[in-house]
Amino acid sequence: MATIHDIPDVILLNIFASISDTRTRNSLSLVSRKFLLLDRATRLSLTLRGNATDLYMIPTCFRSVTHLDLSFLSPWGHSLLSSSPLFDPLLLAHRLRVAFPAVSSLTVYARSPSTIEVLVQQWPGLTRVKLVRWHQRLASWPIGQDFVCLFEQCRNLNWLDLSSFYYWTEDLPPVLRDCPEVSSSLVHLNLLTTSFAEGFKSQEIKEITAACPNLKNFLVACNFDPRYIGFVGDETLLAVAANCPKLTLLHLAETSSLADVRGDPDHEGFTSEDAAITRATLVEFFCGLPLLQELVLDVGRNVRDASLALEMLNSKCKDLRVLKLGQFHGICLAIESQLDGIALCSGLQELSIKNCGDLTDMGLIAIGRGCCKLSSFEVQGCKRITEKGLRTMACLLRNTLVKVKISCCKNLDAAASLRAVEPIRDRIQWLHIDCVWNGVDEVGNSEHSFQHDQAEMGSSSEYNEDMMSRKRCKYSYDSSDFHIMGNNGFWCKKWEKLQYLSLWIGVGELLTPLATAGLLDCPSLEEIRIKVEGDCRGRHKPAERSFRLSSLAIYPRLSKMQLDCGETIGYALTAPSGQMDLSLWERFYLNGIGELRLSELDYWPPQDRDVNHRSLSLPAAGLLAGCFDLRKLFIHGTAHEHFMMFLLKIPNLRDVQLREDYYPAPENDMSTEMRAGSCSRFEAALNRRIILD
């Protein structure tokens, strides 16, 4: 009988070369020595971890690697090639070039311009570069110093990502203008820098696009508020279309939208100011970009009566597949049974609607009828839509829709959101909801029953009149699927394919009602992200001892978690009488995490903005040390060295790192929380342990 080892090496080599998933390649390399050698010969992408001073640990067997990521070397955030008595930075750069001679794509944490200068000299043929820096740019550096050497040395550069790199907006345009040969060859430029306060001004965007006429992907953070100097309006949009007609991906986003902070749930979706963008300009803008495949316009200011302009997308941008709109109003009027506006974009596969003040249930139904290929749908801050409209839309898109995000919609709490997507609960793979427990408590009591909603939906004259004019979506219920029924009247069915769950929850709320709201049986759920947001200051001690993370133990395959308390604000030092400081709030949120069988955890500690403090506390370190199944732990903040030593109690923990990947990252490197020596001693202690597997 022939086995896989009988396959000719040439065919096996092609098979390995076609596998891009890192985890799959790692598993295959463990099968046999032959597979190990094949993996090393064909691996094109590699992320290095470990301490930058350990030169002997640099692997020399991956000679074919073309993409090298150095942004996660330890100590994280410290200058990679700074002068040190322990090692010569030029020697490190030379060793990297010898080990990886074929690198054409580089990602690096560049704390200072000298890091970029040394590395680009090792690989002058670089075509793709991503720079990372969360620390502040020093005012003493000349304008554009971060980029001058990059553009002068890398003449083949065509792809540049600065989305996680802090710099000044005035740094880039002069360098692009002074290096026309490189600028004209750029096809990808990502300037969605989350740490910007105001973003690029109108004139700067014009200069950038004029210098880069061959751009295909352009992402930029800017300001659409007409009250500010340099705001983006009609003139800027037309300049982008005229300067870069080859664009296939365009993101223009208000800087405030990049923070991903939940807005006021009682806000009606309209801002006090209108954007300086007219309907005629939008039509001309869309006509000038016929190759668009992905478009994001998150303007943060009202763009009214957009229906007619959006209709042009279907006829002028025939390849458009992804569309995300923020603060656009009148996107789908849904008058009688006639499709209009965004509903005419029948080729869309992903759609995101944010803060649309006049979107109604009838508009959702029209979108479901017209955009029949949608696989992903996100709705945020739309106050007039209800469970009925979203449920009908889900029913219409049952054959394609697998990813749904519902956030900050006044009429869609947790239970209503889950009932709305129930028609696709056997197909959905990715879901985000807000944990707003209106009427749902821990034992499952609810104000509205599922049966009542069904009867109300069926008797609604508005829906009956609309459905009679066209084919009505049929959705039948099979009694064999109803295996558990909660006291709230919601039939708790199995979410067979749900793999990723994202939750927003307000500070002080509990997770316990999640199961009784409808998410009880999720046999395939592997990863969950929980974002806790709110101000702890002024709040008294919660009645419960814990956040109830242990309630997530009902999901048997849950192994990865992102617990983001970064937007939880409190007192890092002594709190006023009767209130809790952040260490006690951390105990509240992490209590019970040891009962989950997590293998990977990303944790963002809560913060005190007044002192720029985001650090792991003693109770948090002790509770994390109880997660005995953890193999990877990334703390997005700082920690004292002796707190980190608690983590050595986790038997199979292999990868731990402190990442201050938020702006501004702490500058005081001499504190015990982020000193390079402290990180190195902990990693040395971690690596000395014997891992059983």
Side-chain angles (χ1 to χ4, degrees), residues 455-559:
E456 183 178 279
M457 183 175 177
S459 62
S460 172
S461 60
E462 179 184 9
Y463 282 86
N464 287 336
E465 290 173 4
D466 183 76
M467 293 297 109
M468 289 295 290
S469 63
R470 57 186 179 272
K471 290 184 178 180
R472 185 165 187 171
C473 174
K474 302 294 184 183
Y475 188 76
S476 61
Y477 300 95
D478 185 354
S479 60
S480 63
D481 288 336
F482 294 71
H483 62 282
I484 300 176
M485 182 177 178
N487 294 333
N488 65 347
F490 184 87
W491 290 100
C492 299
K493 304 181 187 179
K494 183 181 293 186
W495 300 74
E496 188 71 43
K497 297 183 179 180
L498 184 63
Q499 298 175 0
Y500 183 98
L501 177 63
S502 173
L503 304 172
W504 176 94
I505 189 166
V507 66
E509 297 290 336
L510 303 181
L511 270 181
T512 318
L514 183 63
T516 54
L519 272 177
L520 180 61
D521 193 357
C522 304
S524 302
L525 184 62
E526 297 179 353
E527 185 171 358
I528 187 168
R529 176 180 175 85
I530 303 173
K531 184 178 179 66
V532 184
E533 187 178 336
D535 196 337
C536 300
R537 297 169 298 186
R539 298 182 64 94
H540 293 286
K541 182 178 180 180
E544 299 288 339
R545 292 186 57 200
S546 73
F547 180 49
R548 300 292 179 86
L549 274 179
S550 57
S551 65
L552 301 178
I554 61 174
Y555 306 126
R557 298 188 62 183
L558 182 63
S559 61

